[in-house]
Amino acid sequence: MARDKKIVSKHGKTADLIIKNDQAYSKLTDEELKNKTQEFKERIEQGESLDSLLVEAYSVVREAAYRVLGLKAYRVQLIGGIILHEGDIAEMKTGEGKTLTGLFPAYLNALSGQGVHVVTVNEYLSKRDSEINGKVYNFLGLTVGLNSRESSKNEKREAYAQDITYTTNAELGFDYLRDNMVFNFDQKVQRKLNYAIIDEADSVLIDEARTPLIISGGSQNRINMYMAADACAKTLKEPEDVEIDLESKQVYLTDSGIKKAQNYFSIENLFDFRNTEIFHLIMNALKANFTFKKEIEYTVQDGEIVLIDQFTGRVMPGRAYSDGLQQSLQAKEGVEVEEETQTLATITYQNFYRLYNKLSGMTGTAKTEEEEFLKIYNTRVIVCPTNEPIIRVDEPDLTFGTKNAKLKRMVEDLKALNEIGRPVLIGTTSVESSEQVARYLEKAGLKFEMINAKNHLREAEIVEGAGQLKAITLATNMAGRGTDIKLTEETRKLGGLFVMGIERNEARRIDNQLRGRAGRQGDPGTSRFYISMEDELMIRFTAPKVRQYFIKLGDDHIKSKMFTRAITNAQKKLEGLNFDQRKNVLDYDNILSQQREAMYAQRDDILLQTDLKVVLAKFQYTIAFEIIEECSELVRGERTVNVDLLIKRLNSEYIIKDSMEEKELIGLEKQQMAKLIQKHMMELYLQKIEGVPENVIHEMERRTILQSFDRFWTRHINLSQKLRSGIYLQQYAQNNPLHEYVEQSAKLFNKMKINIAFEAIDRLYQSFNAEGSVENISNNKIDIENILINANRQAQQTQQVEAEKKVINVTEKDIDEILNEIGIKQEEFSRNNVTNRFAQLKEEFKDDVERFKKLEIQEHIINGLMDKLDEVVDERRKKALELTQDGIDAIVKKFDLKNKLFTVDDVKQSFEKLMNQDLTDEQKAQIDVEAQILLAVAQAIAEKNQKDNQGKEFVMKDKKGKVVKKIKTNPDGSINEDEIEDTEQVRSKTKIG
């Protein structure tokens, strides 16, 4: 705390400077205040830091908030805003105005143009805060977006493109996962993760962090099996067939139950390994029927099972039980049973939020978890002073022997408070506990409002009214966060809100949250906890003898500060244990996180690559190296490559048949072999794709590679989960489980990369071949003779023959002088450039008779030269007509273009290679003529292909001949995303595990 005071003191001096600016900024007009935003942006572009702008920017926001909302930030709110900008957690008590505090760092960091995410625990708060604070941002010229679960992809993309985006924590994480499953980079909705401000940071970063975000896809359909298991469970009775442990929610079959289950499924031994699946289904059905209660753990809405958060009482749309339990609940309630799914993508909140460049948060209670914030997120927790001193009275706990005694006393105290009109908030630890208290209140005839899964939509409305005269509000501890309980003048005089806690939570932080509902902004208030020896915390941390002693008290109780301290110490111990568990889970997840980031980075590279041949070359090298390893034998203690076996293996599917000889490979290192083989593999691939439009090739390559990426990444995630579930057994062999997991996971990851390479290349080789599916081009022969005739006819049509030509003897030097005088460089020499230049000069010197006449002579000379050049080209074309098919084949071979539907670029590259050789002038002239012939052929091939490929359908098949992709081109040859039929796409669902 000493450190906190020092930091707060330092920030307090900065806050004083902001307050000091109040007079100057209040004199600015609205327009001048708005113009400050553009001024700040320009200064940032010129190199100023956000830190250097803080005082001015916060002064602008403070004045703008006052004009728009009528609220002028207190000094402590400014301190909180500075803490948030520095990337720390600001602990600000309930009612201190965290919503307004978030305005300041959000505005300042949004000036960079890289985006700010304001994260809340539910959509109600997101919408409310975006509307309130959005008025201020809009006033100052910044844009605000709201991202919700119902938003379409375009709406999400637009929301994330704004300067400041309000969103819930779950939707933010799911959008990140979905973005890394797209097949086109433009389909992504998020920008890079820059800066996040998390409201109720302890709830998001600690409580919610226990469960990962999961995107799953349909895998296997066992609906009938779930229905049968449910029917079997409904024939069993408690206690003769089934034993139940309610605390752990475990169900056990008795001997009688085992016999009935075996008879039902007509099997001899339920525990035979061949019946593992049936046993698993039966156990899930028993849990669903005997331990899960409707309206307590789940509810049915619109024909769907929706889970209820036992901690907050809120329904959790999108959340589902894993391992088949969700399907068992669906079978029990007679709603549609979904297919069982497998994990396609997953991330924990811890690893997701660590992807941000800067992370900050605000909450009423976080100091007790500072070690976790520091170690996991590298953020400090700074306690902000309150604007007004806290005068709430926190009374010692009342400790009873039984729950019944505890609740009876609570009802008595409640009646007394209700008679004088004092408002009371009762906090429970679970929905079940809340239902129990409700029964006692109903029996006592007390009127109360209850926040639970059935009326969670009225949550904010109920909480707002909890400070009214005679109000009794019953809620789980976490419910209503983000909404202030405001007292009336009358209830303030009566002593303010009285908070009753029904039992202590595992974490002191949750107890402090409940207490903090009373005593906001210097209001009066009281808090008291009612504890019994039957509470879960007491059962775990007190000796049986102590519990027996308390039971003897009957309806009496003990009120002891010492006992309260003992409970607090038990909570500290439990907090440590919980942190260690979360840290252990994170240690394992960090391995997957590193792999995930590597995979997603590679995936983005593939999406952004304009030519995927680079990626395919790497895949081919990987395959080549693996095949070399497969063809290696142990000879006299050394692994030696069997070259003959290697070539046979490659000849079968990876290189042009018989294109490699043993002598090429003998004496090479494995890496050199792999490099050479890769080149041959690429030659085969280029031969296979000849004639296919470049855009179709690119689309097929991209989708095939990405689907192989996703398929094997999904498999790797599921394998890693199975590996992790059994790795603890390594400790029995005196091994460190985490070290073993790292090693095994790395092996799985490397194997996955090899599998991706093999599958992607195999699929592409299978689809692109002359006899295969992309046949609408490759089966069309090119009639070279007709191409040459057409090319010559075109040349003759454009040729202009003059009847008479005046012969002028000029030297090369004369030509150079003319071109220099008219300003035409040799590399720019063309009929079009020369004609345009002479036209300009003649217009310029039309009044200068001598210069004009000279220009006409020069133009005549240059035109004569160009006509002569045209004659040479015509001669070459005539010679081309004299060539036979054999002659053309010889030229193609000479240019190293045999067996290729070559392009203009291919001809140019071959021409440059040949001309770089040591040749005579006559040989060079011959090559020049031959290049002209091949260029005419290449141009004709391109035109024919373009014509043939308009509005065509290209089909990709697997090895069994099954169609996996269809790509249709538009009439202009382009590809429309809607015209791609992809049978490998998996319908995905989002859920929180």
Side-chain angles (χ1 to χ4, degrees):
M1 292 296 285
R3 183 207 64 183
D4 283 15
K5 285 179 181 175
K6 193 175 178 182
I7 293 169
V8 167
S9 173
K10 176 190 157 195
H11 292 341
K13 289 172 185 173
T14 309
D16 291 336
L17 293 174
I18 297 163
I19 294 167
K20 196 176 177 183
N21 282 343
D22 191 42
Q23 198 173 354
Y25 280 79
S26 64
K27 291 176 182 174
L28 296 175
T29 64
D30 285 0
E31 200 59 35
E32 287 171 332
L33 207 58
K34 288 175 189 176
N35 291 340
K36 283 286 182 182
T37 300
Q38 190 55 38
E39 179 198 317
F40 294 150
K41 285 182 177 179
E42 287 168 5
R43 284 164 63 182
I44 289 167
E45 284 174 13
Q46 290 162 11
E48 278 197 55
S49 68
L50 293 178
D51 292 347
S52 66
L53 290 173
L54 188 142
V55 172
E56 292 174 73
Y58 279 29
S59 300
V60 165
V61 177
R62 190 166 185 256
E63 180 59 31
Y66 180 63
R67 293 186 191 185
V68 176
L69 304 175
L71 301 170
K72 185 148 281 191
Y74 301 131
R75 183 175 184 269
V76 292
Q77 288 173 313
L78 295 173
I79 291 169
I82 298 165
I83 291 168
L84 293 175
H85 170 68
E86 292 206 334
D88 288 320
I89 307 293
E91 180 173 291
M92 300 176 71
K93 302 301 177 193
T94 299
E96 290 297 307
K98 290 191 280 289
T99 304
L100 186 63
T101 300
L103 261 173
F104 295 88
Y107 172 80
L108 176 59
N109 285 269
L111 294 172
S112 69
Q114 293 175 42
V116 173
H117 294 164
V118 183
V119 186
T120 64
V121 288
N122 62 48
E123 295 205 340
Y124 163 77
L125 294 175
S126 267
K127 190 170 186 298
R128 185 198 71 178
D129 292 356
S130 68
E131 287 170 356
I132 294 171
N133 287 351
K135 293 175 186 174
V136 182
Y137 298 131
N138 292 333
F139 175 80
L140 290 171
L142 292 182
T143 57
V144 183
L146 175 63
N147 175 46
S148 70
R149 194 162 173 259
E150 286 76 32
S151 302
S152 67
K153 270 212 160 191
N154 286 335
E155 288 167 342
K156 283 177 176 290
R157 197 173 293 114
E158 191 177 340
Y160 283 117
Q162 307 310 312
D163 296 317
I164 297 152
T165 307
Y166 282 82
T167 180
T168 61
N169 55 321
E171 205 54 32
L172 189 63
F174 281 135
D175 287 337
Y176 170 76
L177 291 176
R178 283 190 287 257
D179 270 0
N180 286 288
M181 295 173 73
V182 298
F183 285 95
N184 192 315
F185 198 83
D186 295 336
Q187 292 173 344
K188 288 195 170 199
V189 298
Q190 285 183 347
R191 295 191 279 168
K192 283 190 175 178
L193 302 175
N194 175 45
Y195 173 52
I197 302 170
I198 302 176
D199 194 11
E200 308 297 356
D202 60 320
S203 176
V204 172
L205 298 178
I206 293 178
D207 298 327
E208 293 287 340
R210 296 171 186 175
T211 49
L213 295 164
I214 295 168
I215 290 185
S216 58
S219 55
Q220 56 190 139
N221 193 332
R222 301 192 295 180
I223 292 171
N224 291 339
M225 294 293 286
Y226 283 109
M227 302 295 282
D230 181 68
C232 173
K234 284 184 165 75
T235 66
L236 304 179
K237 292 183 172 60
E238 187 197 359
E240 59 262 35
D241 303 323
V242 177
E243 289 180 3
I244 301 170
D245 180 353
L246 284 172
E247 278 189 28
S248 61
K249 289 198 183 296
Q250 292 301 314
V251 187
Y252 307 98
L253 284 170
T254 64
D255 290 343
S256 167
I258 292 166
K259 284 175 186 173
K260 285 183 181 178
Q262 287 174 171
N263 290 337
Y264 192 91
F265 284 97
S266 302
I267 53 179
E268 289 184 11
N269 182 5
L270 184 61
F271 302 100
D272 188 294
F273 76 93
R274 287 168 294 189
N275 298 324
T276 303
E277 187 179 346
I278 292 174
F279 178 71
H280 178 71
L281 289 165
I282 291 170
M283 296 313 290
N284 269 343
L286 292 173
K287 281 183 189 176
N289 279 278
F290 288 94
T291 68
F292 282 77
K293 298 182 182 70
K294 189 177 175 182
E295 308 304 344
I296 303 294
E297 279 90 4
Y298 68 92
T299 186
V300 178
Q301 290 181 358
D302 302 323
E304 286 186 9
I305 299 289
V306 183
L307 306 190
I308 297 172
D309 189 341
Q310 294 302 287
F311 202 51
T312 67
R314 296 192 185 105
V315 290
M316 304 184 291
R319 212 177 265 203
Y321 290 119
S322 58
D323 210 22
L325 184 55
Q326 187 80 1
Q327 285 79 2
S328 296
L329 286 171
Q330 290 163 345
K332 172 194 173 183
E333 294 298 336
V335 299
E336 185 184 349
V337 179
E338 300 170 352
E339 286 185 24
E340 205 170 334
T341 58
Q342 63 175 340
T343 302
L344 300 178
T346 179
I347 193 168
T348 59
Y349 280 120
Q350 289 105 319
N351 277 319
F352 172 68
Y353 283 112
R354 293 197 301 187
L355 295 171
Y356 278 89
N357 292 332
K358 183 163 73 173
L359 182 68
S360 67
M362 44 190 176
T363 179
T365 50
K367 195 66 180 177
T368 55
E369 312 286 355
E370 182 169 27
E371 185 188 0
E372 185 160 350
F373 280 111
L374 205 53
K375 285 185 177 176
I376 306 297
Y377 303 104
N378 195 29
T379 59
R380 301 172 299 183
V381 176
I382 313 296
V383 178
C384 271
T386 54
N387 186 48
E388 299 285 346
I390 295 174
I391 59 170
R392 183 187 68 240
V393 178
D394 295 327
E395 294 186 356
D397 302 344
L398 304 185
T399 310
F400 299 80
T402 63
K403 278 187 180 179
N404 181 50
K406 170 179 77 174
L407 293 176
K408 278 168 67 179
R409 173 57 189 267
M410 185 210 72
V411 170
E412 285 174 23
D413 293 347
L414 189 56
K415 280 182 177 177
L417 291 165
N418 193 248
E419 279 175 17
I420 63 169
R422 193 169 175 187
V424 178
L425 173 69
I426 306 166
T428 64
T429 55
S430 68
V431 176
E432 193 174 3
S433 173
S434 182
E435 298 273 359
Q436 192 178 17
V437 173
R439 287 194 289 272
Y440 275 80
L441 298 183
E442 285 166 0
K443 196 174 177 182
L446 292 164
K447 282 183 69 179
F448 63 94
E449 284 276 17
M450 182 176 174
I451 301 173
N452 62 15
K454 295 172 190 171
N455 63 359
H456 69 101
L457 296 172
R458 290 185 55 233
E459 183 178 307
E461 180 193 331
I462 294 169
V463 172
E464 278 177 4
Q468 303 297 310
L469 194 70
K470 291 197 171 213
I472 299 174
T473 310
L474 175 59
T476 49
N477 289 348
M478 295 285 286
R481 286 184 71 165
T483 308
D484 281 346
I485 297 175
K486 293 177 182 173
L487 301 175
T488 64
E489 278 302 317
E490 194 174 356
T491 53
R492 192 175 278 107
K493 286 175 186 173
L494 291 170
L497 184 69
F498 196 113
V499 173
M500 294 179 173
I502 295 308
E503 61 184 276
R504 288 292 202 106
N505 287 273
E506 288 187 357
R508 292 167 291 162
R509 175 173 52 86
I510 312 299
D511 292 342
N512 293 339
Q513 284 165 9
L514 182 58
R515 284 196 178 104
R517 306 302 297 175
R520 64 176 289 282
Q521 286 290 340
D523 283 344
T526 312
S527 74
R528 181 193 296 156
F529 279 85
Y530 296 78
I531 297 167
S532 86
M533 284 296 141
E534 292 176 347
D535 295 346
E536 190 180 339
L537 194 69
M538 297 297 103
I539 291 168
R540 289 178 70 177
F541 285 97
T542 55
K545 284 184 180 179
V546 175
R547 291 205 297 275
Q548 288 299 319
Y549 168 77
F550 271 90
I551 288 170
K552 290 175 185 175
L553 290 172
D555 289 346
D556 210 350
H557 68 275
I558 285 177
K559 187 176 184 179
S560 164
K561 286 188 177 180
M562 186 183 76
F563 196 76
T564 300
R565 276 197 299 274
I567 293 170
T568 303
N569 288 335
Q571 287 176 310
K572 284 181 184 177
K573 191 185 290 184
L574 204 50
E575 285 165 4
L577 289 171
N578 288 339
F579 171 51
D580 288 342
Q581 285 174 1
R582 287 194 291 268
K583 183 75 170 65
N584 185 52
V585 167
L586 188 62
D587 287 340
Y588 282 95
D589 193 63
N590 283 341
I591 312 304
L592 193 65
S593 178
Q594 290 164 15
Q595 294 168 350
R596 176 173 46 243
E597 286 178 42
M599 287 295 287
Y600 286 175
Q602 286 175 38
R603 209 177 183 284
D604 281 352
D605 285 345
I606 291 162
L607 287 171
L608 294 168
Q609 282 277 1
T610 51
D611 184 3
L612 289 166
K613 302 294 181 295
V614 179
V615 178
L616 294 178
K618 288 178 182 175
F619 284 178
Q620 288 166 339
Y621 180 86
T622 299
I623 291 168
F625 199 88
E626 285 301 306
I627 293 173
I628 290 167
E629 287 293 326
E630 285 174 25
C631 296
S632 296
E633 300 169 340
L634 203 61
V635 179
R636 294 175 189 169
E638 286 188 16
R639 287 193 70 78
T640 308
V641 181
N642 184 329
V643 177
D644 182 51
L645 180 65
L646 175 62
I647 289 176
K648 283 178 183 173
R649 173 87 167 81
L650 293 168
N651 265 340
S652 63
E653 54 184 324
Y654 289 113
I655 63 172
I656 297 170
K657 196 168 176 62
D658 301 328
S659 64
M660 283 190 83
E661 296 179 7
E662 286 189 32
K663 63 183 180 183
E664 291 182 71
L665 295 168
I666 291 170
L668 296 180
E669 295 289 330
K670 286 182 179 177
Q671 288 87 344
Q672 293 171 317
M673 279 187 186
K675 202 169 182 181
L676 181 62
I677 292 167
Q678 183 272 315
K679 285 182 181 175
H680 279 271
M681 289 174 77
M682 186 59 81
E683 283 174 12
L684 173 61
Y685 181 66
L686 293 175
Q687 184 177 308
K688 283 175 176 287
I689 62 173
E690 280 177 5
V692 184
E694 195 60 43
N695 59 341
V696 174
I697 293 169
H698 182 77
E699 187 62 36
M700 284 191 168
E701 287 173 344
R702 185 166 58 83
R703 283 185 174 263
T704 302
I705 293 169
L706 289 177
Q707 283 170 339
S708 294
F709 251 66
D710 294 345
R711 186 179 296 106
F712 284 102
W713 173 241
T714 297
R715 194 174 297 174
H716 179 72
I717 291 170
N718 288 282
L719 280 173
S720 294
Q721 287 172 343
K722 286 172 183 169
L723 173 67
R724 187 159 140 190
S725 65
I727 202 73
Y728 72 93
L729 295 169
Q730 288 287 342
Q731 62 194 4
Y732 296 115
Q734 304 300 306
N735 295 327
N736 183 316
L738 182 59
H739 290 172
E740 290 296 319
Y741 178 79
V742 171
E743 196 173 315
Q744 295 294 327
S745 184
K747 286 178 183 175
L748 284 173
F749 189 66
N750 289 331
K751 182 64 179 168
M752 174 201 72
K753 290 195 283 188
I754 293 165
N755 287 337
I756 289 170
F758 268 101
E759 185 184 86
I761 293 296
D762 282 349
R763 286 191 165 216
L764 288 169
Y765 276 28
Q766 182 65 28
S767 293
F768 292 122
N769 59 71
E771 293 81 32
S773 50
V774 191
E775 57 185 12
N776 50 351
I777 289 173
S778 50
N779 282 350
N780 290 324
K781 305 281 185 186
I782 300 294
D783 188 341
I784 293 178
E785 193 174 343
N786 283 335
I787 287 170
L788 290 172
I789 292 167
N790 290 335
N792 183 63
R793 190 178 293 129
Q794 189 179 355
Q796 288 174 341
Q797 286 170 356
T798 56
Q799 183 182 23
Q800 295 177 355
V801 182
E802 294 181 11
E804 293 180 2
K805 288 186 181 177
K806 185 178 178 181
V807 178
I808 304 173
N809 292 319
V810 290
T811 65
E812 194 173 325
K813 185 181 176 185
D814 294 328
I815 298 294
D816 287 343
E817 284 177 0
I818 292 171
L819 292 176
N820 189 45
E821 191 174 331
I822 67 173
I824 294 281
K825 295 177 183 176
Q826 282 192 357
E827 60 267 23
E828 295 171 351
F829 183 69
S830 70
R831 188 178 289 277
N832 193 42
N833 285 349
V834 169
T835 303
N836 290 339
R837 184 59 181 151
F838 273 115
Q840 287 174 359
L841 290 169
K842 283 163 85 173
E843 178 64 28
E844 188 179 336
F845 295 102
K846 63 185 178 185
D847 298 328
D848 187 336
V849 179
E850 284 187 22
R851 183 66 198 274
F852 190 85
K853 192 173 182 181
K854 186 180 179 183
L855 282 169
E856 283 187 319
I857 294 168
Q858 289 174 328
E859 185 177 18
H860 189 69
I861 292 168
I862 298 298
N863 279 337
L865 172 67
M866 289 191 290
D867 289 342
K868 188 67 181 171
L869 290 172
D870 286 344
E871 283 178 29
V872 172
V873 172
D874 280 340
E875 281 298 315
R876 289 173 180 173
R877 286 194 174 119
K878 284 174 187 174
K879 283 185 181 180
L881 271 178
E882 294 168 10
L883 280 173
T884 63
Q885 184 71 46
D886 290 342
I888 291 171
D889 287 344
I891 295 171
V892 169
K893 187 176 181 181
K894 183 177 180 179
F895 275 68
D896 196 24
L897 297 171
K898 197 174 179 184
N899 296 324
K900 282 186 75 173
L901 289 177
F902 48 82
T903 64
V904 170
D905 285 341
D906 292 334
V907 175
K908 286 178 180 176
Q909 286 173 12
S910 298
F911 173 75
E912 287 171 10
K913 197 184 288 183
L914 289 168
M915 292 297 274
N916 284 333
Q917 296 174 5
D918 189 15
L919 304 170
T920 64
D921 288 345
E922 192 176 336
Q923 286 172 323
K924 286 183 178 178
Q926 180 65 25
I927 289 169
D928 192 33
V929 171
E930 290 167 347
Q932 295 294 328
I933 294 166
L934 295 185
L935 283 171
V937 173
Q939 184 64 37
I941 290 171
E943 288 171 3
K944 189 173 191 309
N945 282 346
Q946 186 178 4
K947 186 179 177 184
D948 288 347
N949 294 329
Q950 290 175 352
K952 293 287 183 182
E953 183 180 87
F954 297 88
V955 180
M956 194 167 188
K957 298 177 182 177
D958 61 17
K959 286 185 177 180
K960 294 176 183 176
K962 181 184 172 186
V963 174
V964 290
K965 286 184 193 66
K966 283 183 185 175
I967 295 177
K968 290 180 186 174
T969 56
N970 297 325
D972 63 355
S974 63
I975 298 171
N976 187 335
E977 194 73 26
D978 297 333
E979 291 298 318
I980 299 172
E981 188 182 318
D982 205 331
T983 62
E984 293 176 304
Q985 292 240 31
V986 181
R987 190 164 56 90
S988 64
K989 296 176 182 177
T990 56
K991 64 181 182 181
I992 301 176

